[in-house]
Amino acid sequence: MATILVTGGTGTLGRPLIDRLLGDGHDVRSLSRRPHTGRERPRLRSYAVDLRDGTGLDEALAGVDAVVHCATAPAGGDTEAAGRLIDAAKAAAVPHLVYISIVGIDRVPLRYYRAKLAVERLIEDSGLGWSVLRTTQFHDLVLMLVKAGARSPVLPVPAGVRVQPVDVREVAVRLAGLAAGAPAGRVADFGGPEVLDARDLVRATLEAGGRRRLLMPLWLPGGTFAALRRGGILTPEHADGTRTYAEFLAERGGTPN
């Protein structure tokens, strides 16, 4: 069994990934900006490290066999944080760095996507053994966005946009397998089982939560939405996930208030 460090260990992906790694018998180190509470258990050690400055990172990396980099900041700073992690991993002679990325970062001109692509390139050029997995949007993200929009009685929906949501636990299984194996470079994308129109996703989410909202389709201008309408965030040839968005909603009991 291996010793594996997970950055962003308290996040949406980090938690199920740690659970999976522990279930597979690995020793796991969880790294996040704030101290963990209530999660300590055999074979799990927690480190409060902020990748924005890297203090304490050397201790967390000492003796690990692989790092899975899940920590991310959509508001900015991913490239700098990844640079610090890479430098520290090289100093610690870490054999394998695994990175979770997003389908379409080379096709959709979002600033956040450009940062993710820059991190991929840093990892590829690092001299470390590496693996990169791109996935489609998590079910949880779709739910969060619809919930935020549903605060208003009129909910705008981008026209012509399709989404291929994937279950985060299935992504965790894929990442755990990569982390336990040899560096594999850029692996096949991992997408959800269905490509769905954004309007259908919004309607299903509202119905599951017992909400009624007026949906307003909007044809949004600009390069980002043009790329989305072209299917820039889809990977239908890799619809490898099995849990549908409807099943996710049923499990959650609808949308929380």
Side-chain angles (χ1 to χ4, degrees):
M1 293 295 104
T3 298
I4 299 173
L5 172 70
V6 177
T7 74
T10 59
T12 300
L13 175 59
R15 288 178 178 272
L17 174 58
I18 286 172
D19 289 341
R20 180 69 187 197
L21 290 168
L22 290 172
D24 289 344
H26 300 293
D27 292 321
V28 182
R29 300 181 186 181
S30 176
L31 185 149
S32 64
R33 282 186 290 178
R34 298 177 180 84
H36 298 219
T37 57
R39 295 210 76 215
E40 296 298 338
R41 59 182 116 163
R43 302 199 321 277
L44 174 63
R45 294 181 61 187
S46 299
Y47 294 82
V49 175
D50 190 336
L51 289 174
R52 291 176 297 186
D53 62 38
T55 303
L57 188 54
D58 291 344
E59 178 186 356
L61 286 169
V64 304
D65 299 298
V67 174
V68 185
H69 185 31
C70 299
T72 188
D78 273 5
T79 308
E80 295 79 9
R84 292 187 186 91
L85 178 63
I86 289 168
D87 288 344
K90 290 170 69 174
V94 173
H96 191 187
L97 175 58
V98 182
Y99 184 53
I100 179 68
S101 191
I102 305 171
V103 169
I105 58 172
D106 51 352
R107 300 192 294 259
V108 179
L110 280 171
R111 183 177 66 175
Y112 178 54
Y113 279 22
R114 288 196 295 267
K116 296 288 283 187
L117 186 59
V119 172
E120 283 191 12
R121 290 171 176 162
L122 285 176
I123 292 170
E124 292 168 9
D125 295 338
S126 67
L128 295 166
W130 59 274
S131 302
V132 169
L133 172 67
R134 292 182 183 178
T135 74
T136 53
Q137 281 65 39
F138 298 158
H139 292 151
D140 307 74
L141 175 62
V142 175
L143 176 59
M144 181 188 72
L145 292 175
V146 176
K147 182 185 175 185
R151 293 170 185 162
S152 169
V154 178
L155 203 165
V157 180
V161 172
R162 293 163 295 148
V163 187
Q164 188 180 353
V166 68
D167 193 88
V168 69
R169 290 165 296 183
E170 295 181 328
V171 175
V173 171
R174 183 80 173 95
L175 278 178
L178 288 172
R186 167 86 185 279
V187 301
D189 294 345
F190 190 86
E194 300 175 302
V195 174
L196 301 168
D197 187 89
R199 184 182 180 89
D200 293 334
L201 280 172
V202 171
R203 184 182 293 111
T205 307
L206 294 173
E207 290 176 354
R211 296 184 177 188
R212 296 175 63 88
R213 297 290 186 271
L214 176 63
L215 303 187
M216 178 181 293
L218 292 179
W219 191 269
L220 296 167
T224 293
F225 285 98
L228 293 176
R229 288 190 290 270
R230 289 194 297 269
I233 58 173
L234 306 178
T235 181
E237 66 277 19
H238 294 293
D240 300 320
T242 61
R243 181 171 291 273
T244 67
Y245 186 64
E247 290 170 334
F248 164 78
L249 290 175
E251 185 180 78
R252 291 288 297 262
T255 58
N257 292 323

